[in-house]
Amino acid sequence: MTTRSRADRGIRRTVLALAAAGVTVIAAGAVLDALWLLGIGVWSVIAAMVIELVYRP
């Protein structure tokens, strides 16, 4: 078991927050039938995935 540094936890928290916000915006876009909200949500989730893939502690 390894210990995570403060920066690792910060990145992890940022990724989770960005993904959660993206999923929330996607759900709102689907309910409101607003394509622009869906687009913003999808790009937020993509950004969270890219950050997770690029930043490997």
Side-chain angles (χ1 to χ4, degrees), residues 14-40:
T14 301
V15 167
L16 290 175
L18 191 57
V23 169
T24 303
V25 172
I26 289 171
V31 169
L32 297 174
D33 198 26
L35 193 58
W36 65 275
L37 279 176
L38 286 171
I40 291 172

Side-chain angles (χ1 to χ4, degrees), residues 2 12 17 20-22 25 27 32 36 41-43 45-46 49 51-52 54:
T2 62
R12 183 72 174 161
V25 172
L32 297 174
W36 65 275
V42 168
W43 279 108
V45 172
I46 290 171
M49 290 171 39
I51 291 171
E52 181 68 26
V54 169

Side-chain angles (χ1 to χ4, degrees), residues 2-15 52 55-57:
T2 62
T3 59
R4 293 185 183 233
S5 69
R6 174 173 268 160
D8 293 340
R9 287 189 300 250
I11 291 293
R12 183 72 174 161
R13 190 176 315 126
T14 301
V15 167
E52 181 68 26
Y55 186 83
R56 296 259 174 154

